[in-house]
Amino acid sequence: MGLTANHLVNRPILASIDTEAFRHNLNRIRELAPESKIWAVIKAKAYGHGLEAALKGLESADGFALLDIADAQWFRDHKWSGRILLLEGLFHQEELETAVQLRCDMVVHNEKQLEWLESYSNHSGHPINLFLKLNSGMNRLGFKPEQYRDAYHRLHAAGYHMHHMTHFANADQVDRSPSVGAQVECFESTIAGLEAPTSLANSAAILWHRNALGDWIRPGIMLYGVSPTGTYADIARSELLPVMQLRSEIIEIQELKKGDHVGYGGRFEAPEDMRIGVIACGYADGYPRHAVDGTPVWVQGAGPDYDDVVCPIAGQVSMDMLTIDLREAPNAKVGSAVELWGGEIPVDDVAQMSGTIGYELICALAPRVPVSIK
Ligand SMILES: *Cc1c(COP(=O)(O)O)cnc(C)c1O
């Protein structure tokens, strides 16, 4: 592969977004849930991948689900005529008119939002779709079961097109309890007899609880080829492809003597004479500062036979740089291409070595990192 030189930027770091992988993952989701429509969840600027790439790669989704009305505006400005769901509904009453103008579907999760909608008269000439959210046990957002039916009837009476929605707290507990069972039961008994389309499943439920999909599924993390559990092995056989690749280059090589230390705090001590590679990527790029020694970095063509090798981080990640142990990479040189995460190193693996989950790393890709969409 090798890096394309980009002479407009000073540093060799680059995030590339593979829109073909987006298409592949979306098709895979259709195979897993052929009866359901798909809300492509693209909150947090498409989990750090950017709205532009998301629109390009995911245009065959049935709709985009997001949080900020400004992002809904962006999609309409970019000629998206399909559905858009405001995943947490309105934050302020003043947004309602704009949301209607932008033809947004809205989640309704509390009494205040319900009152705003009840007192609104819709002159737009098109119906408004609402996703009424049931708090079936996660205790974050939504109406409690005993309030839900009344809320439903009020909005239905006000002329809205109703949908039922809930969100799982434990769909990623692959074989463990508690999982989704109690929440599904609560959902089904609460909506009994109220005929309307349903929406339940996030990525983990789509992968592991296909008895609880509903009419509209809401995949997020799996669209990006990252694991809902935080462990790559859990999706290794799910035929999902990573969409984001973060790469950079070795910009310096240090020859160490046995006993020399590397970086802030001298966390890594050379157990023998050895080389260290310095890479242009640090925590100000979104690489986790908590990455421990041993966190994998892929280095192109640096092995004994000019094969690709995985080298462990050695020393504390700093703001603009990180350092790797080159003992297995005799052919590493200044300019060697590295992958921090992507197709060679799952972002889940980096996350695990840093005490977090892949979601956090991709969402936190820093604005200073140049992005190329292919
Ligand atoms: C973020 C979100 C999703 C997507 O979750 P993933 O775990 O990324 O698939 C689905 N539904 C709601 C309400 C969300 O907030």
Side-chain angles (χ1 to χ4, degrees):
M1 38 159 261
L3 293 173
T4 350
N6 183 343
H7 300 289
L8 295 177
V9 297
N10 299 321
R11 297 172 70 233
I13 189 164
L14 182 70
S16 39
I17 309 298
D18 180 355
T19 55
E20 204 46 58
F22 263 147
R23 268 173 226 113
H24 169 93
N25 293 342
L26 190 60
N27 288 339
R28 182 73 190 115
I29 294 167
R30 289 232 185 262
E31 285 170 11
L32 290 169
E35 310 285 310
S36 303
K37 292 193 168 150
I38 300 177
W39 286 120
V41 178
I42 49 122
K43 60 195 180 193
K45 299 285 183 256
Y47 291 45
H49 294 59
L51 298 184
E52 192 186 336
L55 178 56
K56 188 163 175 229
L58 299 171
E59 63 187 355
S60 69
D62 299 289
F64 288 102
L66 44 79
L67 296 184
D68 294 307
I69 202 153
D71 291 346
Q73 178 80 60
W74 187 94
F75 273 86
R76 293 303 182 217
D77 291 346
H78 290 77
K79 310 285 180 260
W80 171 253
S81 58
R83 286 170 75 167
I84 294 176
L85 174 62
L86 299 178
L87 264 181
E88 292 177 12
L90 303 168
F91 295 96
H92 307 283
Q93 187 168 14
E94 302 74 62
E95 292 170 334
L96 178 47
E97 191 57 49
T98 317
V100 173
Q101 293 309 317
L102 294 171
R103 285 175 292 113
C104 293
D105 295 14
M106 284 170 258
V107 167
V108 185
H109 64 77
N110 65 18
E111 175 66 25
K112 208 169 42 158
Q113 293 176 331
L114 192 154
E115 286 168 9
W116 298 338
L117 288 157
E118 270 188 322
S119 64
Y120 178 75
S121 56
N122 177 14
H123 298 295
S124 69
H126 58 81
I128 299 171
N129 294 308
L130 297 182
F131 283 71
L132 186 61
K133 187 160 185 180
L134 172 69
N135 174 5
S136 58
M138 185 165 186
N139 291 314
R140 206 175 51 174
L141 298 180
F143 291 88
K144 291 223 189 311
E146 57 273 22
Q147 309 162 325
Y148 186 89
R149 294 177 70 90
D150 179 54
Y152 179 92
H153 289 303
R154 284 165 63 190
L155 292 166
H156 188 259
Y160 293 100
H161 277 202
M162 299 305 294
H163 303 66
H164 301 295
M165 171 180 172
T166 197
H167 191 59
F168 295 128
N170 297 307
D172 61 326
Q173 312 270 303
V174 185
D175 322 294
R176 274 167 300 159
S177 165
S179 187
V180 302
Q183 286 192 265
V184 172
E185 271 169 43
C186 171
F187 183 74
E188 285 176 351
S189 64
T190 305
I191 68 167
L194 305 177
E195 273 310 311
T198 57
S199 178
L200 296 91
N202 56 4
S203 298
I206 295 162
L207 285 162
W208 301 305
H209 304 283
R210 279 192 292 284
N211 57 333
L213 290 175
D215 299 300
W216 282 87
I217 55 174
R218 304 189 307 272
I221 198 74
M222 69 188 296
L223 285 170
Y224 308 94
V226 177
S227 175
T229 64
T231 302
Y232 179 71
D234 292 330
I235 63 158
R237 281 169 303 282
S238 302
E239 295 170 46
L240 299 168
L241 298 175
V243 178
M244 180 192 293
Q245 183 198 39
L246 180 62
R247 49 194 188 166
S248 187
E249 288 177 10
I250 294 178
I251 58 167
E252 185 65 280
I253 290 186
Q254 295 294 339
E255 311 274 348
L256 301 194
K257 290 268 176 266
K258 179 176 183 203
D260 286 350
H261 291 82
V262 179
Y264 289 117
R267 184 176 78 185
F268 181 82
E269 179 180 325
E272 57 189 309
D273 293 0
M274 61 179 286
R275 297 195 311 157
I276 286 285
V278 181
I279 292 167
C281 176
Y283 62 76
D285 299 301
Y287 197 91
R289 187 179 161 280
H290 289 102
V292 297
D293 286 351
T295 304
V297 174
W298 178 88
V299 188
Q300 185 178 38
D305 302 313
Y306 298 94
D307 43 337
D308 305 332
V309 282
V310 173
C311 297
I313 282 190
Q316 176 77 58
V317 173
S318 52
M319 186 184 289
D320 311 311
M321 285 168 273
L322 56 82
T323 42
I324 58 174
D325 175 341
L326 291 179
R327 280 177 288 175
E328 305 293 327
N331 288 305
K333 55 186 193 318
V334 169
S336 290
V338 306
E339 179 187 282
L340 288 318
W341 62 65
E344 305 291 340
I345 306 285
V347 69
D348 304 292
D349 292 359
V350 179
Q352 218 158 43
M353 301 292 274
S354 314
T356 185
I357 53 177
Y359 288 83
E360 187 179 9
L361 299 193
I362 55 178
C363 289
L365 182 75
R368 83 172 187 185
V369 177
V371 176
S372 97
I373 300 171
K374 60 173 204 265

